[in-house]
Amino acid sequence: MMLDLITQQAQKKLWEQFNNCLTSEVAEEFLQTLLNLMMIVFVVNYDYRRNIKNFEGRYQFCSKDGQVTIGAVFHNGRMEVIKKMIERPNITITFRDGKTLLNFIISPRQDILGSMLRHDVVTDGNLNYLYKFGFMAKQLQLMMPQLPQ
Amino acid sequence: MTKITLDDISLKDFTLGNLPRLQELRRLSFARKPEICIERARYVTRYLRDKDDPTDSPEVRQARKVNYFLQRKRPVFHDHNLLAGSTTSKALGAPLFPEFFALTLWPELDTVSTRAKNPQKLTPDEARELNLEIFPYWMDKNVLELTRKRISNTESAQSLKLFESLVFFIAAKAGCISHAVPAYEAMLELGLSGLIDMASVREAAAFLLASDEGDRQADFYRAVQISLQGIIQYAEHLADEAVTLAGVADDPEVRQEFLDMAKVCQQVPAGPATTFREAVNAIWICQVGIHAENINMAMSPGRLDQILYPYYKRDMEAGRLDIGRAIELIGCLWLKIADNVTMVPEASEEMFGGAGTVPAITLGGVDADGEDAVNDLTYIMLRVTELLCIRDPNVNARYDYEKNSSDYCRRVSEVILNTKAVPAFFNDHANITALTGQGESIEHARDYAVIGCVELASSGRDYPASSSIMLNLAAPLEMALFCGKRPITGEEQIGPSTPDPATLNSFEEFWEVFKTQLDWLIEKAIELNEHMGAVHQQMMPSPLLSAFFEGPLDKGKDLVQGGSLYNSSGATHIAFADVVDSLNAIEQTVFIDKKYRFAELLQMVKADFAGAEGEKMRLYLKNRAPKYGTEHPLARKNARNIVGHLFNLYQSHTNYRGGLYRPAYWTMTNHAGLGKITGALPHGRKSGELFASGITPVSGAAPELTACLNAVAELGGECVPGCWALNIKYSPETDVEKMTERFAQTIEAYFRSGGQQVQFNIMTYEMLLDAKKHPEKYPELMVRVSGYSAYFKDLNELMKDELITRTMYDLANGKSVAYLPENGGKQ
């Protein structure tokens, strides 16, 4: 019971943070928020969890200024976030800042090609992993509950 | 002997008003919204996952995969088109090819149906199937990823990185080869069963050789039979479905139509075509079959007025056909060809938004003996093009100013003026010269057809992979200006570390620096193309398409292995005019006039001509430096030098199929997207301004029409074997007859000077500005982009702006009309 309550509160907070990232100009926390939210929704939502059944994927996210280094590893139907460089990533995504990453992955004013052409975001590796990640991120966006103003 | 028996070559008595079937089908074609069709993706994935035998040869594996899909492909009849068969299960379908870029749709599975720009409908069930079953299978298996595996940890990895950065070149084999003109004559004469019998005999003979080569050939012949059998089965299913639908039809006329279609599909394409209608439907069903194997990009039916003429003539002479019915059947074929679009992810809208699938049809010109090939069917097809005025097929008119009649030239001109955009005009003299220069026999060269946008190929003999490389010429120019770096990629050393231009003493030295960077980049693009070609040989052979070519069935070799008679690779170039003008500006203002030091110019280019001094310099460069598209000798020399250098460089490379690389100059919509992200250039172009399209001079740079056409024309012929797209915009005139006359005369003069191709938009700045502002007022406005047609409303904002600002000429006085956006484009 207590665990449910904590999970619900954590979810609510994450949804609020996620919504803030999408609606405000401040998106520095976007990546961490997105990954945390993903992890929690995988736990509580069976349909969403099906996305990572039998999925093996290793993502490395880095900011160009070196301030952010986060790995996301999908293995055995689970997701793990690692705050350091990971080995053998399927794809490495290097971004100028949180806003450019948000714009690349999920923004309603999404500009994937523009981000790549301007080199706001540089990728190294198998882009299909990025496309899958983009789908899962967008699903979260579509699942976002109506939040109180 | 004349093949023209028509009393009126314009066929003006035939209108949509008295062709109600075509009128209705045309209405439907505009009303339909694109839908993504997952049928092919579903079945090829299931086949590979559950049935594939990796010990089979690549050709046999591919054939079995295609056959598996064709056997299961749903026979659907969406409307009252007289032809059976459809590219996809949807009325206007975007098929998915997971072997290439289908997975780019993944992020959009839940939103593609509702996105703001060019939505493509996808049902939730289909989206779920793609997400959970189809796409996961392909994560590591498409052409791009197999190429990555092949070259990671080798020196070639850099070429892949250059491609993936998107700002240097595009390696189009990651998305397709396609781009071909099959030869349908043998299929029509023998039927697919005849081709299968031929392959079967040759399979046995090859097997008896009892050698590795014999076994390889036997496998190929086996693969041809398996894949063609798939088309036959699909046609049988169409016949069965038509019989079923006839059985439930209440209207006796409709019932008869279904029975007629069933009868056609019971005869062709398995057996020889015995009537015009059967021939038309056989070609269409084979086009559908080709798209089961190869992606729907520029698969061009070719010279249909020549291929279908014997069937038309025979039926007309026998009284089995009349002109109205022939127009109706050809109209039905045009609308069938337009039944599919490409899947374009939102991310690519900027580059490719609004493009069709560009299946090109080629009319007129000369025959293999060099004689006038224009016939009644040519005029019927022109009339259908004029009446329907639809984006696809991409209709092109060949013209030999010595052999074809002036009536023909005027009629083509009239159709262009009436449709405002199509067809494009191609010069037989220059294009046949270009192809014989590539070692093609004169008879084969004379039988050329247009592929996709503008590319040339001897029909069914030439497998040119014509969009293998799309190279951004502004990239090596920037690298020459900045010692091998580009502003957009920052401090990264991309190309060779060439000397700072400020230290150079002559333009010739800078030209050498530019060539160093250009050659380096081209080598990288070719290197990647070769690797991707090798991946195609393993993963995407084309035994089905090979059956419709001269060569493969004789050599026992698939097209992707070099089975065709001619085997080139095409490389097209973006920002040609902008780069020529930049070289002109550097040579004239820095080295001849010494108006600016190179260091000053570089500083201002880097600063995007900011400030009063920058603007002063920019205006000087823009208005005073020589311009491509004029008669200025320096501009003409630099244009010729680039074209000549590119020709020599590409021709020194032999591709993985044993053919040469052929340079070309067409840009689709890339000149807009790449222009947007490229910094300022020395000819006074500010950062982000769009590049000129194709081989067209920079907007506003060529004030005199005649000089402009001459400047372009003198580049034509042998050095541009891949052809070019020249865009010319004319303001419409009230006296259409006079304009038609002048139009035709201008074409002839341009062609006599050597011009290879030209395409037109007959519209004003004002009209295009209004169309941008009020798209609802222009739902059917068709425009020429750079080699293909598009509906203006579907284009992205950049391309709309590019079309609006293109130089407009007044044909009556041959002068450009100034663009005055502040007046809403009005003069």
Side-chain angles (χ1 to χ4, degrees), chain A residues 32-50:
Chain A
Q32 188 66 56
T33 306
L34 174 67
L35 295 176
N36 288 344
L37 188 58
M38 247 183 204
M39 275 203 299
I40 210 159
V41 179
F42 281 133
V43 172
V44 299
N45 186 319
Y46 169 77
D47 283 339
Y48 192 63
R49 193 156 67 237
R50 289 181 70 192

Side-chain angles (χ1 to χ4, degrees), chain B residues 58-77:
Chain B
E59 286 83 356
V60 169
R61 292 174 76 187
Q62 177 79 336
R64 289 195 197 285
K65 179 181 93 179
V66 169
N67 179 292
Y68 184 86
F69 163 50
L70 283 169
Q71 278 190 50
R72 286 155 183 79
K73 181 175 167 55
R74 211 151 56 88
V76 283
F77 294 81

Side-chain angles (χ1 to χ4, degrees), chain B residues 214-228:
Chain B
D215 288 351
R216 268 194 294 275
Q217 289 185 14
D219 270 349
F220 167 70
Y221 289 124
R222 185 92 206 107
V224 168
Q225 296 166 68
I226 294 166
S227 54
L228 294 185

Side-chain angles (χ1 to χ4, degrees), chain A residues 88-149:
Chain A
R88 304 179 316 282
N90 297 104
I91 185 160
T92 300
I93 299 126
T94 307
F95 50 95
R96 201 180 297 283
D97 51 41
K99 197 178 167 198
T100 58
L101 185 67
L102 183 146
N103 189 33
F104 184 66
I105 292 179
I106 203 171
S107 164
R109 298 175 299 278
Q110 196 174 19
D111 183 14
I112 294 174
L113 198 68
S115 303
M116 291 177 79
L117 289 171
R118 288 189 301 270
H119 283 232
D120 287 341
V121 176
V122 177
T123 63
D124 183 14
N126 186 334
L127 287 169
N128 295 330
Y129 285 81
L130 182 62
Y131 301 141
K132 181 178 173 69
F133 187 85
F135 173 73
M136 295 192 295
K138 275 208 164 179
Q139 270 199 319
L140 281 185
Q141 190 181 13
L142 296 170
M143 289 159 64
M144 185 145 60
Q146 199 69 38
L147 296 168
Q149 297 297 308

